[in-house]
Amino acid sequence: MTIVGRFNRFVKNIRPTNDHIDKANRQTDYMVEQLKGKVAANGTFKLEKVLKAGSNAKFTSLRRTADNIFDVDLAAYYSGTEATSKDLNKLLDFTCERLREIYPNKPKGDFEALKSAVRVKFRSGIKLNVDVAPIIRDDSLGLENGGWLPRSDGWRLTSVTCHNEFISSRTAKSNEVSGPVKFNRLVRLMKWWNNRQEDLAQPSIFCDLITAAAFDAYGVTSEWQSSLRQIFSFLLKHQFLEPIVFEDYHDTSGLVFPSGQVVIMDSVNLENNITKDWTEGTRLSYLERVQDAYDWMMEAKSYELDGDEEGAVDMWCQVFGTEFRALSEGED
């Protein structure tokens, strides 16, 4: 059994199964249709569209595990026309009320108001969380499906379509390189590794952005092992000492960044620094984890060159956990 074959199976097996995705889609499709009806019947706001967002829409989601509840993100675009700012600030509560009308028999604890979304928890069947984020559409932003998330700490610019295209455009570019390595699947691998970092685990968008920064610098190779080493090598060279910023949707040449902070900017909202809460201790601690992973990758490479596949597997298990062995078993 080769490392190449193992990686192909591991990458395949850490994604949600088709059956799981189909069941989640049926649940969310029902929710979307019901939400449209409930909002229309209420008449307070106009719901223009509901788009799939997050990891599922980007094709970077992970399979459900004991520690990882399957998440689905939906963006509910409301019209802000003829509504006051005070009214629009009530959208989160309004959305939560409509969702509770859809599922009147669900316990109150299955509905949770987050900073910018309402979470509906399903614990029977496939077990998933559905996060519904109300967005106030704003065509003046010049972004496809651009709008504002009304949050208690201030409205935040976003675009579901732009976030999805940020991933898909790089995935398309990675398709130009022969071999199995695709950008969105690299993001999935990075998310799997990141989720193992316990107190230092970062949100999904962090994994999107650092993988994109490394990809923009180095691209991908024809194999998973060296493509991963490139990402971790990039991070070790970068050290999070310079801002990570993207020009997919904005001209960033005139931006002034805050000093003394780790800066990784949301590709859509240049006022949203994903790592604004990082301290110097966070930076150094995360880099220690990156260094450990890179060292294990280099040891795995050495074992592989020596023909010691089992030794290489042991090292990749250090990176990805013992699940690497279990989820990569099979015949070449």
Side-chain angles (χ1 to χ4, degrees):
M1 187 180 305
T2 67
I3 293 296
V4 171
R6 280 188 175 272
F7 256 101
N8 288 334
R9 283 185 292 276
F10 183 66
V11 171
K12 177 182 178 181
N13 287 332
I14 64 173
R15 72 178 292 274
T17 65
N18 290 334
D19 181 61
H20 200 108
I21 292 174
D22 288 343
K23 289 178 179 177
N25 284 340
R26 285 196 292 272
Q27 184 67 265
T28 54
D29 288 345
Y30 171 81
M31 180 186 290
V32 168
E33 286 306 309
Q34 291 295 310
L35 181 61
K36 290 177 179 177
K38 297 296 183 184
V39 173
N42 181 275
T44 304
F45 296 101
K46 179 182 179 182
L47 180 60
E48 296 191 352
K49 66 179 74 175
V50 180
L51 300 179
K52 293 183 179 180
S55 298
N56 291 299
K58 298 172 185 175
F59 300 100
T60 63
S61 56
L62 295 172
R63 65 180 282 157
R64 186 177 66 83
T65 67
D67 301 320
N68 175 45
I69 295 294
F70 191 70
D71 291 320
V72 175
D73 296 287
L74 299 174
Y77 278 80
Y78 290 91
S79 171
T81 305
E82 300 179 358
T84 66
S85 176
K86 182 179 179 181
D87 289 335
L88 293 173
N89 281 328
K90 298 177 182 178
L91 269 177
L92 201 62
D93 291 337
F94 174 84
T95 303
C96 186
E97 290 168 4
R98 303 292 78 75
L99 289 168
R100 291 189 68 181
E101 289 175 359
I102 298 171
Y103 306 101
N105 296 324
K106 287 183 71 62
K108 186 176 180 180
D110 283 351
F111 300 86
E112 180 183 1
L114 308 176
K115 280 187 177 181
S116 56
V118 178
R119 173 166 292 172
V120 184
K121 303 174 185 177
F122 297 91
R123 292 299 174 262
S124 60
I126 63 172
K127 297 183 176 61
L128 76 156
N129 296 331
V130 180
D131 292 350
V132 183
I135 296 175
I136 302 162
R137 183 173 175 177
D138 187 348
D139 292 333
S140 69
L141 297 168
L143 299 170
E144 186 177 358
N145 290 316
W148 301 91
L149 290 164
R151 297 160 50 109
S152 59
D153 57 352
W155 290 16
R156 179 170 292 178
L157 170 67
T158 191
S159 164
V160 168
T161 301
C162 289
H163 278 298
N164 293 346
E165 288 181 348
F166 181 81
I167 300 295
S168 63
S169 63
R170 288 167 173 79
T171 301
K173 190 173 181 180
S174 68
N175 287 337
E176 298 172 5
V177 179
S178 62
V181 182
K182 311 303 176 189
F183 176 76
N184 66 306
R185 298 173 188 173
L186 271 180
V187 173
R188 186 178 284 130
L189 285 168
M190 289 301 295
K191 287 170 62 175
W192 187 279
W193 172 81
N194 171 77
N195 287 353
R196 300 190 66 247
Q197 304 315 306
E198 299 174 338
D199 58 317
L200 287 174
Q202 303 298 310
S204 291
I205 191 171
F206 172 89
C207 297
D208 294 351
L209 297 174
I210 62 171
T211 309
F215 175 81
D216 291 352
Y218 298 143
V220 297
T221 71
S222 60
E223 62 169 20
W224 295 108
Q225 305 96 295
S226 51
S227 292
L228 283 165
R229 289 197 300 269
Q230 285 186 163
I231 296 174
F232 283 79
S233 174
F234 170 85
L235 295 176
L236 290 173
K237 291 177 181 176
H238 187 277
Q239 295 278 302
F240 301 115
L241 292 175
E242 297 291 333
I244 291 178
V245 62
F246 301 90
E247 296 197 350
D248 292 55
Y249 309 110
H250 305 284
D251 179 5
T252 64
S253 58
L255 283 181
V256 178
F257 300 102
S259 60
Q261 287 188 14
V262 173
V263 176
I264 302 179
M265 301 304 298
D266 182 334
S267 60
V268 176
N269 182 357
L270 293 181
E271 294 183 357
N272 182 21
N273 177 13
I274 301 300
T275 48
K276 64 180 182 300
D277 295 329
W278 275 34
T279 64
E280 178 66 3
T282 309
R283 184 183 74 86
L284 293 174
S285 296
Y286 202 85
L287 284 171
E288 285 181 7
R289 306 290 180 89
V290 172
Q291 183 68 65
D292 287 343
Y294 183 73
D295 290 345
W296 290 323
M297 291 178 188
M298 293 304 293
E299 288 189 56
K301 178 183 178 182
S302 179
Y303 279 121
E304 192 172 354
L305 290 173
D306 290 340
D308 186 348
E309 302 290 346
E310 192 60 29
V313 170
D314 287 342
M315 291 301 101
W316 284 112
C317 285
Q318 291 292 327
V319 177
F320 292 119
T322 56
E323 294 91 343
F324 180 81
R325 186 185 303 277
L327 294 175
S328 67
E329 296 286 357
E331 296 297 327
D332 283 340

